[in-house]
Amino acid sequence: MPSAAGTPTGKLPFVVWVLAAGTFLMGTTEFVIAGLLPEIAGDLGVGLSRAGLLITAFAVGMIVGGPTAALVTLRLPRRLTLVLALSLFALGHVVAALSTSFTVVLAARVVTALATGAFWAVGFVIATAAAGPARATRAVGVMMGGLTLANVVGVPIGSFVGRYTGWRGPFWALAVLAALAAVFVARFIPATEQRAELSVRAEVRALRQGRLWLALAAAVLIMGGVLATYTYITPLLTDRAGIPSGAVPPVLIVFGLGALGGTAIGGRLGDRRPMATTITAAAVTALALFLLIPLSTGPATAVVLVFLMALAGFTVNPVVTSLAVRFAGDAPTLTSALSTSAYNTGIAAGSALAGQALNTSLGLTGPALVGAASAALTLLPLIALVLGGTRRQARIAARRTAPARIRDHGTASVPSGR
């Protein structure tokens, strides 16, 4: 998809903002369940732990189904893929809202996750192509900002509405909004030809690059570090920092604002200094999480560190996602889907490890220690990318200067031969 030629310098094409609205809806549906679990469990006649499978099912659907859906729709026009994904997303919410069976609702969540994975995979490719190379990371940042904004606005509103309308109310609202988003996508996303030139083989071939997997590893580790701590942040705030339970939601909003700011910073700085931005942000994230262990006994310091870990941690996300898509070259769709899978893998693994740490002698500080270690490990793939890029530039420079040396050597030897 060509870059928007008529877009003024420094401004992103309107299609990027349309795609960001789609990610806002999908981010809301992924996380709003947490605030509705008691209502869902009571209405469907299951326990809280079983109702929690609705969150797990969505994450698994994103991890496995995202790349699968991206490959299945590979030869479809990208606009059609987005419209189909949003339509399937809306249908999944309608089925869940109408059903009284937990099994049906669980299956609907998996289908919704498949649609979300397909939308993200194609949406990232369209956003970066429309923005052009100079603004690709910023475009990814805006799209991911839709996901972050979902945590700040969408999830609280959905939980609030659910308390008055029942859990089905937010599901109906998301279905209607997704249908409207499909209309906007059909209207504002430019049509493209059928992607017949693309193949599964070409997409898989792009995965052979080591630097691509380094970028994906960084995505897994940084998200695992931040979310390992965030998953169990409520008991840390109430039982260790002494913050009243009624004041926890505002602190979570502070986290969301930090994440939103970090996504914007990463999108702004990532195009100019991607490696310096990510390495600095990952180091600050690790430091903030580590300091949360001794300093979380004070309410003020705990809130500041929660904001800082979100701000620095989410700065990394748009940069490594943009790098992964760039490394994939002419076959970015599967890579884009794998980026989404990487973040969900980090969330699942980080949360699981944090839960184990919570049950050790570390207690409430266990998740923060797991998060600090994971964030610190993020530096390894990032530094490897820097070193690999330096060696690659040296090889390119050597190849460019070699012919000149040969020509100089040949010119100098002619007189002596005569």
Side-chain angles (χ1 to χ4, degrees):
M1 178 178 170
S3 179
T7 302
T9 304
K11 290 187 178 181
L12 291 174
F14 182 65
V15 295
V16 176
W17 300 99
V18 173
L19 294 169
T23 60
F24 171 81
L25 294 178
M26 294 177 175
T28 299
T29 202
E30 181 172 8
F31 299 113
V32 75
I33 288 291
L36 301 173
L37 273 185
E39 289 83 359
I40 294 175
D43 187 48
L44 298 180
V46 298
L48 279 175
S49 59
R50 193 178 180 198
L53 292 176
L54 296 174
I55 299 174
T56 306
F58 195 95
V60 172
M62 287 287 288
I63 293 169
V64 179
T68 304
L71 291 177
V72 169
T73 62
L74 187 62
R75 292 179 179 269
L76 294 178
R78 286 177 177 143
R79 184 173 68 178
L80 177 60
T81 300
L82 294 180
V83 171
L84 290 175
L86 286 166
S87 301
L88 188 61
F89 181 91
L91 179 62
H93 283 81
V94 169
V95 170
L98 291 173
S99 177
T100 58
S101 166
F102 177 78
T103 302
V104 173
V105 175
L106 188 68
R109 288 286 288 175
V110 175
V111 170
T112 303
L114 293 175
T116 301
F119 183 93
W120 273 74
V122 176
F124 275 135
V125 176
I126 291 178
T128 53
R135 293 173 294 172
T137 304
R138 186 181 168 198
V140 171
V142 168
M143 273 197 67
M144 298 189 76
L147 176 63
T148 309
L149 190 63
N151 285 293
V152 181
V153 178
V155 172
I157 290 178
S159 299
F160 178 79
V161 171
R163 295 184 184 278
Y164 293 93
T165 65
W167 67 271
R168 301 174 193 274
F171 273 61
W172 281 113
L174 286 166
V176 172
L177 291 173
L180 290 175
V183 174
F184 269 82
V185 165
R187 170 66 179 83
F188 292 106
I189 302 295
T192 57
E193 297 297 326
Q194 186 176 7
R195 296 179 284 165
E197 75 281 0
L198 299 181
S199 67
V200 173
R201 182 179 301 175
E203 292 285 337
V204 173
R205 191 183 303 123
L207 303 183
R208 296 177 182 176
Q209 299 188 66
R211 57 181 181 165
L212 169 61
W213 291 102
L214 289 173
L216 293 176
V220 171
L221 290 168
I222 195 65
M223 197 82 310
V226 174
L227 269 297
T229 307
Y230 180 73
T231 300
Y232 298 98
I233 199 66
T234 298
L236 182 74
L237 294 173
T238 56
D239 299 345
R240 185 170 170 82
I243 295 175
S245 58
V248 170
V251 178
L252 299 184
I253 292 176
V254 168
F255 174 89
L257 292 173
L260 188 62
T263 303
I265 292 172
R268 286 283 183 176
L269 300 180
D271 286 319
R272 292 180 300 225
R273 297 181 178 274
M275 302 319 302
T277 300
T278 50
I279 289 175
T280 302
V284 172
T285 305
L287 179 61
L289 289 167
F290 181 77
L291 290 177
L292 197 59
I293 299 172
L295 299 181
S296 57
T297 53
T301 53
V303 172
V304 169
L305 289 171
V306 166
F307 174 80
L308 186 59
M309 79 173 186
L311 182 72
F314 278 78
T315 296
V316 179
N317 295 349
V319 186
V320 292
T321 301
S322 180
L323 287 174
V325 173
R326 188 187 310 168
F327 293 154
D330 294 331
T333 307
L334 179 58
T335 298
S336 181
L338 287 173
S339 298
T340 305
S341 296
Y343 290 121
N344 281 274
T345 300
I347 292 171
S351 299
L353 290 174
Q356 295 295 322
L358 190 68
N359 295 324
T360 67
S361 59
L362 295 170
L364 295 174
T365 62
L369 182 60
V370 171
S374 185
L377 288 173
T378 307
L379 294 170
L380 296 180
L382 293 176
I383 292 173
L385 280 172
V386 172
L387 296 177
T390 302
R391 288 194 295 267
R392 190 175 297 105
Q393 290 175 358
R395 288 196 297 268
I396 293 173
R399 284 197 296 267
R400 287 176 177 174
T401 57
R405 293 197 200 100
I406 294 173
R407 287 194 300 270
D408 292 344
H409 177 73
T411 303
S413 62
V414 170
S416 61
R418 289 179 180 174

